Amino acid sequence: MVLAKSNNKALVLVGLLIGLIFAELDETVVSTAMPTIIRDLHGLSLYGWVAGIYMLAMTMFMPILGKLADLYGRKRVYLTSIALFIGGSIIGGLAVSMPMLLVGRGIQGIGAGGLMPLAMVILGDTYPLEQRAKIQAAIGPVMFLPQLLGPTVGGYIVDHISWHWVFLINIPVGLLAALIIGIGLRETKGEEKRSIDWAGAFVMMLGLLSLLLAPVLVDTQGLAWSSPWVIGLFVLSALLFALLVRIERRAKEPLIPLHLFKNRTVVVLSLFVLVLMMGLMGGISSFPFFAQNVMGLTPTGSGYLNLAFMAGAIPISILIGFLITRVPYRTLFIVSFILPIVGMYLLTQIGVGTTVLYIIITFVIMGVGMGALFGGDNLIVQESVDKKDSGIALSTVQLFQSIGVTIGMSVFGSLLAKNIKSGVMGLSDQLPEGAADTIAKGDIPQGLAPDLIEKVQVAFSDAFQNIFTIGLGFAVAAFVIVWFLKKEVLSKKDENSGGGQEAAAGTAPQLNS
């Protein structure tokens, strides 16, 4: 099944951008509205599951939808993903209870699992390499726009309309994106009969569910990592993945072709984004807590610190788009990913006296370093595999990225909470009765003496220094992994060869961002 040459490239690009931006925007808008939603639906005990079930669903269905797109066509599966996202939004917007909201978020997550990777695949099928390099270089940083607009949009909807419209606003936007893609994208339909590896899909879903449910339970239910439940889930996950390998070896149309893991580029980039996202997202995702409770910034102000990250990422990502067809991509990645190490080291030095300027400089440095990822990894993956496998290859790399984000946020969140509790409990004899427990949950009571507030802030700072030190180790590990990429210049493959083997002139790789 090959995309026809009659595509309206401008409409395809606009439709994909609308779908991507609003899928990402939904996350930050919902996060901003969650305190109001929780109060309305009386669902504090299920708070952590709102984000957790979305990530679980997205991660589990990403490779399945990628494979379905390879088998039955990008357009059909992409439009189905939009329909699922709209359907989940309707359920979430009409929710009258937390379980109903969680069902909606789960369906939204399934849709997002198709929207994210397939947008990059469709771009790869629509634009030639030189144009695609420039377009995809700009798309990564653009995905940070939702992080900036989210607090404002979410706050306005909650204050002036209703939290229900946080979800319902996705309906007209999704329909618009679907209409534009439906008009602009053309596909020729293949005649051959294809099949889907349903046994592999079922076992993979169970394996991913077991793997990702463990840190979610630690984060939301307070279980220890040594809990029999958590260990049991990890063991079950390992057994299921071993069974998956056995199934995929025998499947006529394997869900994840095992030959992908013989592709050095796919393996290295999968491991790279897994390690990098575990370390960086695990630490950075909780930074607003530090900004608000130690630096004294407002929630909106702490969210807009991401502007500094964008200021570094956008120009470098665009530059990488121009250089990646001229300079070996391993060289670009090696030079770039020294900077996240520098940025993480600077974050290990934060404390009560940390200034906004210090954080801005640090985030700019990290953004410059991450620009190479936004500008190159999708492109490298797509050019490293046969065209017929591009959907599942890109979904596989993004699957590892999503696993890294999910595990990193859960593990680092648990470590942060444990370190804060330990530090604050050491001050319990100096604090008013009950204050230590309140502070350990992230809320500094009003009326504390200035000297006690400073001691609490020091305890918070020490906790963050610990997790950023661990994050620094992950950044160093990711830098080492980059050296295993091939030293090749990305160049266009022969379109008539079917993608062929890894092209000698430049083989094969995006963020979610």
Side-chain angles (χ1 to χ4, degrees), residues 5 14 70-71 133 149 184 202 241 264 270 285 296 314 321 333 353 363 376 393-394 431-432 476 479 494 499:
K5 300 298 183 183
V14 170
D70 285 342
L71 292 178
L149 296 176
F202 181 70
F241 284 131
R264 177 171 156 186
S270 296
S285 63
I314 290 178
F333 272 52
F363 278 16
L394 190 55
L431 295 169
V476 172
F479 177 72
D494 182 0

Side-chain angles (χ1 to χ4, degrees), residues 55 59 62 269-270 272-275 277-278 281 373-374 377-378 395-407 510-513:
M55 287 298 298
T59 304
M62 196 176 284
L269 279 174
S270 296
F272 172 70
V273 295
L274 173 70
V275 172
M277 290 301 161
M278 282 182 66
M281 293 304 297
L373 187 66
F374 304 144
D377 71 330
N378 272 342
S395 295
T396 299
V397 175
Q398 291 193 340
L399 169 66
F400 280 93
Q401 179 173 296
S402 295
I403 291 173
V405 171
T406 304
I407 295 178
Q510 162 195 297
L511 200 216
N512 149 270
S513 235

Side-chain angles (χ1 to χ4, degrees), residues 288-309:
F289 181 93
F290 178 88
Q292 294 174 42
N293 289 285
V294 179
M295 298 176 66
L297 300 181
T298 64
T300 302
S302 65
Y304 285 124
L305 282 175
N306 281 335
L307 276 170
F309 191 97

